[in-house]
Amino acid sequence: MADTVVKTLADPSFLLALLVSIAVFATIFTVIPVTGGDTLKARMKSVALEREELRAKQQARLAAEAERRRRGGLRHEDRSPMRTVVDRLDLRRALADESTMAKLRTAGYRGQSPLTKFLFFRLVLPLIGLALSVFYVFFLGGLAGQPSVIRIFACILAAYTGFYLPVLYVSNQASKRKKSIQLAWPDALDLLLICVESGISVEQAFRRVADEIGSQSVALAEEFVLTNAELSFLQERRQAYENLAARTGLESVKAVSQALIQAERYGTPVSQALRVLANESREARMHEAEKKAASLPPKLTVPMIMFFLPVLFAVILGPAAIQLSRDGLFGN
Protein backbone atom coordinates (compact mmCIF):
# COMPACT_ATOMS: atom_id res chain seq x y z
CA MET A 1 0.00 0.00 0.00
CA ALA A 2 2.78 2.38 0.91
CA ASP A 3 4.66 1.52 -2.27
CA THR A 4 1.54 2.32 -4.32
CA VAL A 5 1.14 5.74 -2.65
CA VAL A 6 4.83 6.53 -3.19
CA LYS A 7 4.65 5.52 -6.84
CA THR A 8 1.50 7.62 -7.33
CA LEU A 9 3.12 10.67 -5.75
CA ALA A 10 6.27 10.16 -7.77
CA ASP A 11 4.32 9.84 -11.01
CA PRO A 12 4.95 12.94 -13.17
CA SER A 13 1.43 12.91 -14.65
CA PHE A 14 -0.11 12.93 -11.20
CA LEU A 15 2.10 15.78 -10.07
CA LEU A 16 1.20 17.72 -13.22
CA ALA A 17 -2.53 17.20 -12.63
CA LEU A 18 -2.13 18.24 -8.99
CA LEU A 19 -0.32 21.45 -9.93
CA VAL A 20 -2.92 22.27 -12.58
CA SER A 21 -5.73 21.78 -10.05
CA ILE A 22 -4.01 24.02 -7.53
CA ALA A 23 -3.49 26.67 -10.20
CA VAL A 24 -7.14 26.49 -11.27
CA PHE A 25 -8.43 26.88 -7.70
CA ALA A 26 -6.01 29.74 -7.05
CA THR A 27 -7.20 31.47 -10.22
CA ILE A 28 -10.86 31.04 -9.24
CA PHE A 29 -10.33 32.42 -5.74
CA THR A 30 -8.32 35.32 -7.16
CA VAL A 31 -10.59 36.30 -10.03
CA ILE A 32 -14.01 36.05 -8.31
CA PRO A 33 -13.43 38.80 -5.67
CA VAL A 34 -11.88 41.05 -8.26
CA THR A 35 -14.79 40.55 -10.65
CA GLY A 36 -17.35 41.12 -7.92
CA GLY A 37 -15.58 44.29 -6.80
CA ASP A 38 -15.40 45.57 -10.34
CA THR A 39 -19.13 44.90 -10.83
CA LEU A 40 -20.03 46.70 -7.63
CA LYS A 41 -17.87 49.64 -8.53
CA ALA A 42 -19.37 49.78 -11.99
CA ARG A 43 -22.91 49.74 -10.59
CA MET A 44 -22.10 52.45 -8.06
CA LYS A 45 -20.50 54.51 -10.78
CA SER A 46 -23.58 54.14 -13.03
CA VAL A 47 -25.84 55.19 -10.14
CA ALA A 48 -23.65 58.22 -9.47
CA LEU A 49 -23.71 59.18 -13.14
CA GLU A 50 -27.49 58.83 -13.27
CA ARG A 51 -27.81 60.97 -10.16
CA GLU A 52 -25.62 63.64 -11.69
CA GLU A 53 -27.68 63.55 -14.89
CA LEU A 54 -30.91 63.97 -12.94
CA ARG A 55 -29.41 66.83 -10.96
CA ALA A 56 -28.23 68.51 -14.15
CA LYS A 57 -31.69 68.12 -15.72
CA GLN A 58 -33.34 69.53 -12.60
CA GLN A 59 -31.03 72.52 -12.54
CA ALA A 60 -31.56 73.13 -16.25
CA ARG A 61 -35.33 72.95 -15.80
CA LEU A 62 -35.27 75.37 -12.88
CA ALA A 63 -33.01 77.73 -14.81
CA ALA A 64 -35.38 77.63 -17.78
CA GLU A 65 -38.39 78.31 -15.54
CA ALA A 66 -36.55 81.19 -13.85
CA GLU A 67 -35.67 82.66 -17.25
CA ARG A 68 -39.27 82.29 -18.40
CA ARG A 69 -40.57 84.01 -15.28
CA ARG A 70 -37.98 86.77 -15.66
CA ARG A 71 -39.06 87.46 -19.22
CA GLY A 72 -42.83 87.10 -19.06
CA GLY A 73 -43.96 85.54 -15.80
CA LEU A 74 -44.97 86.85 -12.43
CA ARG A 75 -41.39 87.18 -11.19
CA HIS A 76 -39.94 89.28 -13.96
CA GLU A 77 -38.46 92.62 -13.01
CA ASP A 78 -40.94 95.39 -13.59
CA ARG A 79 -39.45 98.65 -14.87
CA SER A 80 -42.70 100.18 -16.05
CA PRO A 81 -44.09 103.55 -14.91
CA MET A 82 -46.12 101.65 -12.30
CA ARG A 83 -42.92 100.70 -10.48
CA THR A 84 -41.70 104.30 -10.64
CA VAL A 85 -44.93 105.68 -9.16
CA VAL A 86 -45.03 103.07 -6.40
CA ASP A 87 -41.40 103.66 -5.46
CA ARG A 88 -41.64 107.44 -5.44
CA LEU A 89 -44.78 107.52 -3.31
CA ASP A 90 -43.50 104.67 -1.09
CA LEU A 91 -46.80 102.84 -1.35
CA ARG A 92 -45.31 99.59 -0.06
CA ARG A 93 -44.86 101.09 3.38
CA ALA A 94 -48.27 102.80 3.35
CA LEU A 95 -50.53 100.14 1.85
CA ALA A 96 -48.69 96.80 1.98
CA ASP A 97 -48.13 94.54 4.97
CA GLU A 98 -47.70 90.84 5.67
CA SER A 99 -51.41 90.13 5.27
CA THR A 100 -51.38 91.75 1.82
CA MET A 101 -48.45 89.60 0.73
CA ALA A 102 -50.17 86.51 2.14
CA LYS A 103 -53.35 87.27 0.19
CA LEU A 104 -51.39 87.73 -3.03
CA ARG A 105 -49.56 84.44 -2.50
CA THR A 106 -52.84 82.67 -1.78
CA ALA A 107 -54.26 84.07 -5.01
CA GLY A 108 -51.24 82.74 -6.93
CA TYR A 109 -49.40 86.02 -7.40
CA ARG A 110 -45.76 85.80 -6.30
CA GLY A 111 -42.94 88.29 -6.60
CA GLN A 112 -42.70 92.06 -6.67
CA SER A 113 -44.43 92.72 -9.98
CA PRO A 114 -47.95 91.66 -8.81
CA LEU A 115 -47.49 93.69 -5.63
CA THR A 116 -46.49 96.73 -7.68
CA LYS A 117 -49.58 96.40 -9.88
CA PHE A 118 -51.81 95.86 -6.86
CA LEU A 119 -50.57 99.02 -5.12
CA PHE A 120 -50.70 101.05 -8.34
CA PHE A 121 -54.32 100.18 -8.99
CA ARG A 122 -55.23 100.89 -5.37
CA LEU A 123 -53.87 104.39 -5.98
CA VAL A 124 -55.31 105.00 -9.44
CA LEU A 125 -58.78 103.44 -9.25
CA PRO A 126 -60.06 105.77 -6.46
CA LEU A 127 -58.99 108.78 -8.50
CA ILE A 128 -60.68 107.40 -11.61
CA GLY A 129 -63.87 106.60 -9.67
CA LEU A 130 -63.92 110.05 -8.09
CA ALA A 131 -63.36 111.80 -11.44
CA LEU A 132 -66.09 109.81 -13.20
CA SER A 133 -68.58 110.29 -10.39
CA VAL A 134 -67.92 114.06 -10.20
CA PHE A 135 -68.31 114.35 -13.97
CA TYR A 136 -71.57 112.38 -13.90
CA VAL A 137 -73.07 114.11 -10.88
CA PHE A 138 -72.04 117.74 -11.38
CA PHE A 139 -71.63 118.03 -15.15
CA LEU A 140 -74.14 115.56 -16.60
CA GLY A 141 -76.82 116.31 -14.05
CA GLY A 142 -76.87 112.95 -12.31
CA LEU A 143 -78.82 112.83 -9.03
CA ALA A 144 -80.21 116.26 -9.84
CA GLY A 145 -83.13 115.93 -7.45
CA GLN A 146 -80.94 115.02 -4.46
CA PRO A 147 -79.32 117.42 -1.98
CA SER A 148 -75.68 118.40 -2.34
CA VAL A 149 -74.68 116.27 0.64
CA ILE A 150 -76.06 113.14 -1.04
CA ARG A 151 -74.29 113.97 -4.28
CA ILE A 152 -70.95 114.52 -2.54
CA PHE A 153 -71.46 111.31 -0.57
CA ALA A 154 -72.05 109.42 -3.85
CA CYS A 155 -68.75 110.73 -5.23
CA ILE A 156 -66.89 109.70 -2.07
CA LEU A 157 -68.55 106.29 -2.19
CA ALA A 158 -67.37 105.80 -5.80
CA ALA A 159 -63.80 106.65 -4.79
CA TYR A 160 -64.02 104.28 -1.80
CA THR A 161 -65.28 101.51 -4.08
CA GLY A 162 -62.38 102.04 -6.46
CA PHE A 163 -59.95 101.82 -3.54
CA TYR A 164 -61.23 98.37 -2.53
CA LEU A 165 -61.76 96.91 -6.00
CA PRO A 166 -58.21 95.40 -6.15
CA VAL A 167 -58.77 93.80 -2.74
CA LEU A 168 -62.04 92.26 -3.90
CA TYR A 169 -60.39 91.00 -7.08
CA VAL A 170 -57.52 89.36 -5.18
CA SER A 171 -59.96 87.82 -2.69
CA ASN A 172 -62.06 86.40 -5.54
CA GLN A 173 -58.99 84.90 -7.20
CA ALA A 174 -57.84 83.42 -3.90
CA SER A 175 -61.26 81.83 -3.34
CA LYS A 176 -61.27 80.27 -6.80
CA ARG A 177 -57.75 78.97 -6.32
CA LYS A 178 -58.57 77.49 -2.91
CA LYS A 179 -61.61 75.77 -4.35
CA SER A 180 -59.57 74.27 -7.20
CA ILE A 181 -56.92 72.98 -4.78
CA GLN A 182 -59.53 71.67 -2.34
CA LEU A 183 -61.29 69.63 -5.03
CA ALA A 184 -58.09 68.06 -6.34
CA TRP A 185 -56.38 67.59 -2.97
CA PRO A 186 -57.74 64.09 -2.09
CA ASP A 187 -56.72 62.70 -5.48
CA ALA A 188 -53.29 64.31 -5.12
CA LEU A 189 -52.87 62.70 -1.70
CA ASP A 190 -53.76 59.29 -3.15
CA LEU A 191 -51.14 59.72 -5.87
CA LEU A 192 -48.60 60.95 -3.33
CA LEU A 193 -49.30 57.92 -1.14
CA ILE A 194 -48.81 55.56 -4.09
CA CYS A 195 -45.49 57.21 -4.95
CA VAL A 196 -44.22 57.11 -1.37
CA GLU A 197 -45.21 53.46 -0.87
CA SER A 198 -43.47 52.51 -4.12
CA GLY A 199 -40.16 53.80 -2.75
CA ILE A 200 -39.94 57.16 -4.51
CA SER A 201 -38.47 60.04 -2.53
CA VAL A 202 -40.68 62.88 -1.39
CA GLU A 203 -39.15 65.32 -3.87
CA GLN A 204 -39.71 63.05 -6.85
CA ALA A 205 -43.18 62.19 -5.54
CA PHE A 206 -44.15 65.87 -5.54
CA ARG A 207 -42.83 66.24 -9.06
CA ARG A 208 -44.61 63.12 -10.33
CA VAL A 209 -47.91 64.12 -8.73
CA ALA A 210 -47.58 67.62 -10.19
CA ASP A 211 -47.32 66.13 -13.68
CA GLU A 212 -50.38 63.93 -13.13
CA ILE A 213 -52.63 66.40 -11.28
CA GLY A 214 -52.05 69.32 -13.66
CA SER A 215 -55.02 68.35 -15.84
CA GLN A 216 -57.32 68.55 -12.81
CA SER A 217 -55.91 71.56 -10.96
CA VAL A 218 -53.23 73.81 -12.42
CA ALA A 219 -52.90 75.71 -9.14
CA LEU A 220 -52.09 72.55 -7.16
CA ALA A 221 -49.57 71.44 -9.78
CA GLU A 222 -47.83 74.80 -9.50
CA GLU A 223 -47.68 74.50 -5.72
CA PHE A 224 -46.19 71.00 -5.92
CA VAL A 225 -43.55 72.10 -8.42
CA LEU A 226 -42.61 75.05 -6.21
CA THR A 227 -42.46 72.79 -3.15
CA ASN A 228 -40.22 70.38 -5.04
CA ALA A 229 -37.84 73.23 -5.86
CA GLU A 230 -37.82 74.46 -2.26
CA LEU A 231 -37.12 70.95 -0.95
CA SER A 232 -34.09 70.79 -3.24
CA PHE A 233 -32.59 74.17 -2.40
CA LEU A 234 -33.77 75.36 1.03
CA GLN A 235 -31.57 74.61 4.01
CA GLU A 236 -34.49 73.32 6.09
CA ARG A 237 -37.06 71.04 4.52
CA ARG A 238 -39.51 72.05 7.23
CA GLN A 239 -39.63 75.55 5.73
CA ALA A 240 -40.72 74.16 2.36
CA TYR A 241 -43.68 72.32 3.93
CA GLU A 242 -44.67 75.39 5.96
CA ASN A 243 -44.52 77.54 2.83
CA LEU A 244 -46.84 75.11 1.05
CA ALA A 245 -49.41 75.40 3.85
CA ALA A 246 -49.09 79.20 3.96
CA ARG A 247 -49.50 79.65 0.20
CA THR A 248 -52.62 77.50 -0.04
CA GLY A 249 -54.32 78.64 3.18
CA LEU A 250 -56.18 75.33 3.60
CA GLU A 251 -56.43 73.31 6.80
CA SER A 252 -56.16 70.00 4.96
CA VAL A 253 -52.90 71.06 3.34
CA LYS A 254 -51.63 72.31 6.69
CA ALA A 255 -52.36 68.92 8.29
CA VAL A 256 -50.38 67.12 5.59
CA SER A 257 -47.52 69.59 5.98
CA GLN A 258 -47.41 68.96 9.73
CA ALA A 259 -47.37 65.20 9.12
CA LEU A 260 -44.46 65.54 6.70
CA ILE A 261 -42.59 67.77 9.16
CA GLN A 262 -43.04 65.21 11.95
CA ALA A 263 -41.87 62.45 9.63
CA GLU A 264 -38.74 64.43 8.81
CA ARG A 265 -38.05 65.23 12.46
CA TYR A 266 -38.85 61.95 14.21
CA GLY A 267 -38.51 59.43 11.39
CA THR A 268 -42.14 58.28 11.58
CA PRO A 269 -43.66 56.51 8.55
CA VAL A 270 -45.24 58.91 6.09
CA SER A 271 -47.47 56.43 4.27
CA GLN A 272 -49.77 55.74 7.22
CA ALA A 273 -50.30 59.43 7.94
CA LEU A 274 -50.94 60.15 4.27
CA ARG A 275 -53.48 57.33 4.06
CA VAL A 276 -55.43 58.67 7.05
CA LEU A 277 -55.29 62.25 5.78
CA ALA A 278 -56.36 61.17 2.28
CA ASN A 279 -59.42 59.43 3.71
CA GLU A 280 -60.28 62.48 5.78
CA SER A 281 -59.92 64.80 2.78
CA ARG A 282 -62.08 62.54 0.65
CA GLU A 283 -64.76 62.41 3.35
CA ALA A 284 -64.63 66.18 3.74
CA ARG A 285 -65.15 66.60 0.00
CA MET A 286 -68.08 64.19 0.10
CA HIS A 287 -69.62 66.05 3.06
CA GLU A 288 -69.27 69.32 1.19
CA ALA A 289 -71.06 67.84 -1.82
CA GLU A 290 -73.82 66.45 0.42
CA LYS A 291 -74.16 69.85 2.09
CA LYS A 292 -74.61 71.54 -1.27
CA ALA A 293 -77.13 68.90 -2.35
CA ALA A 294 -79.12 69.37 0.89
CA SER A 295 -79.25 73.14 0.35
CA LEU A 296 -80.81 72.83 -3.11
CA PRO A 297 -84.50 72.32 -2.08
CA PRO A 298 -84.76 75.62 -0.12
CA LYS A 299 -83.03 77.46 -2.95
CA LEU A 300 -85.37 75.97 -5.57
CA THR A 301 -88.58 76.79 -3.66
CA VAL A 302 -88.90 80.41 -4.77
CA PRO A 303 -88.05 79.78 -8.47
CA MET A 304 -90.54 76.91 -8.56
CA ILE A 305 -93.29 79.06 -7.04
CA MET A 306 -92.61 81.96 -9.39
CA PHE A 307 -91.98 80.14 -12.67
CA PHE A 308 -93.04 76.49 -12.48
CA LEU A 309 -96.39 76.57 -10.69
CA PRO A 310 -98.05 79.23 -12.92
CA VAL A 311 -97.11 77.25 -16.02
CA LEU A 312 -98.38 74.06 -14.39
CA PHE A 313 -101.71 75.70 -13.50
CA ALA A 314 -102.04 77.06 -17.04
CA VAL A 315 -101.41 73.61 -18.54
CA ILE A 316 -103.85 71.87 -16.18
CA LEU A 317 -106.65 74.47 -16.05
CA GLY A 318 -106.23 75.88 -19.57
CA PRO A 319 -108.20 73.15 -21.44
CA ALA A 320 -110.98 73.21 -18.83
CA ALA A 321 -111.29 76.98 -19.14
CA ILE A 322 -111.42 76.76 -22.94
CA GLN A 323 -114.12 74.07 -22.77
CA LEU A 324 -116.20 76.10 -20.34
CA SER A 325 -115.85 79.13 -22.57
CA ARG A 326 -117.10 77.16 -25.56
CA ASP A 327 -120.08 75.88 -23.61
CA GLY A 328 -121.05 79.44 -22.78
CA LEU A 329 -120.79 79.11 -19.06
CA PHE A 330 -118.71 82.25 -18.80
CA GLY A 331 -121.32 84.25 -20.71
CA ASN A 332 -120.91 86.39 -23.76
Side-chain angles (χ1 to χ4, degrees):
M1 184 66 182
D3 295 337
T4 305
V5 172
V6 172
K7 290 180 180 180
T8 303
L9 292 176
D11 189 3
S13 61
F14 176 77
L15 293 177
L16 182 60
L18 181 62
L19 292 176
V20 170
S21 301
I22 294 173
V24 169
F25 280 109
T27 304
I28 292 174
F29 282 109
T30 303
V31 172
I32 287 178
V34 174
T35 304
D38 290 340
T39 304
L40 180 60
K41 290 181 180 179
R43 290 179 61 185
M44 295 300 295
K45 185 176 180 181
S46 64
V47 171
L49 291 176
E50 186 176 358
R51 186 187 302 113
E52 292 297 330
E53 291 178 359
L54 291 175
R55 184 178 300 174
K57 290 180 181 179
Q58 185 76 359
Q59 291 178 355
R61 182 184 61 80
L62 293 174
E65 291 180 358
E67 182 67 19
R68 178 178 57 81
R69 292 193 183 98
R70 187 182 65 82
R71 291 182 177 181
L74 295 176
R75 290 183 179 271
H76 75 282
E77 185 178 358
D78 189 6
R79 296 182 180 179
S80 61
M82 295 183 184
R83 179 70 176 271
T84 305
V85 173
V86 170
D87 291 340
R88 287 184 178 181
L89 297 179
D90 198 9
L91 296 180
R92 287 186 176 86
R93 182 178 299 179
L95 299 177
D97 52 4
E98 291 296 330
S99 62
T100 303
M101 297 298 297
K103 290 179 181 178
L104 289 174
R105 286 194 298 267
T106 305
Y109 300 110
R110 294 177 289 272
Q112 296 299 321
S113 179
L115 179 61
T116 301
K117 295 178 181 179
F118 177 77
L119 296 176
F120 178 79
F121 283 114
R122 291 203 76 180
L123 174 67
V124 172
L125 288 180
L127 301 178
I128 294 176
L130 181 62
L132 292 177
S133 60
V134 168
F135 180 77
Y136 174 74
V137 171
F138 293 99
F139 291 94
L140 296 181
L143 302 177
Q146 301 296 329
S148 300
V149 178
I150 300 299
R151 301 169 73 184
I152 295 174
F153 178 76
C155 296
I156 296 175
L157 183 61
Y160 186 80
T161 304
F163 182 74
Y164 277 96
L165 275 179
V167 178
L168 296 176
Y169 176 78
V170 172
S171 299
N172 187 25
Q173 292 297 113
S175 299
K176 291 181 179 179
R177 198 164 185 270
K178 284 183 179 180
K179 184 177 180 181
S180 175
I181 294 175
Q182 186 69 39
L183 291 176
W185 184 248
D187 299 333
L189 280 185
D190 291 334
L191 294 175
L192 192 63
L193 175 62
I194 293 172
C195 293
V196 170
E197 288 183 343
S198 63
I200 301 177
S201 63
V202 178
E203 294 88 345
Q204 294 297 325
F206 273 111
R207 182 62 187 176
R208 185 70 61 84
V209 175
D211 295 337
E212 296 295 333
I213 208 67
S215 59
Q216 186 174 354
S217 175
V218 178
L220 185 56
E222 291 178 354
E223 293 298 333
F224 277 178
V225 171
L226 185 58
T227 303
N228 181 25
E230 290 180 347
L231 287 173
S232 302
F233 294 101
L234 287 181
Q235 295 181 355
E236 295 184 2
R237 298 166 63 88
R238 175 181 59 84
Q239 188 65 36
Y241 298 135
E242 291 179 352
N243 292 340
L244 175 62
R247 288 193 304 267
T248 55
L250 296 173
E251 291 297 329
S252 57
V253 181
K254 185 177 180 180
V256 174
S257 300
Q258 292 296 327
L260 293 175
I261 291 173
Q262 291 179 1
E264 291 286 341
R265 180 178 299 178
Y266 303 110
T268 57
V270 183
S271 58
Q272 184 176 0
L274 288 178
R275 185 178 293 105
V276 173
L277 293 172
N279 293 331
E280 291 180 355
S281 300
R282 194 179 298 105
E283 290 177 359
R285 184 174 63 178
M286 183 62 66
H287 291 165
E288 186 68 22
E290 292 176 354
K291 182 180 178 181
K292 291 183 178 180
S295 64
L296 283 178
K299 293 180 180 179
L300 292 177
T301 302
V302 176
M304 287 181 64
I305 293 175
M306 294 181 61
F307 302 104
F308 184 73
L309 290 181
V311 176
L312 182 62
F313 290 152
V315 171
I316 295 175
L317 301 179
I322 294 173
Q323 187 64 35
L324 291 176
S325 176
R326 289 178 179 177
D327 293 340
L329 296 178
F330 289 153
N332 294 326

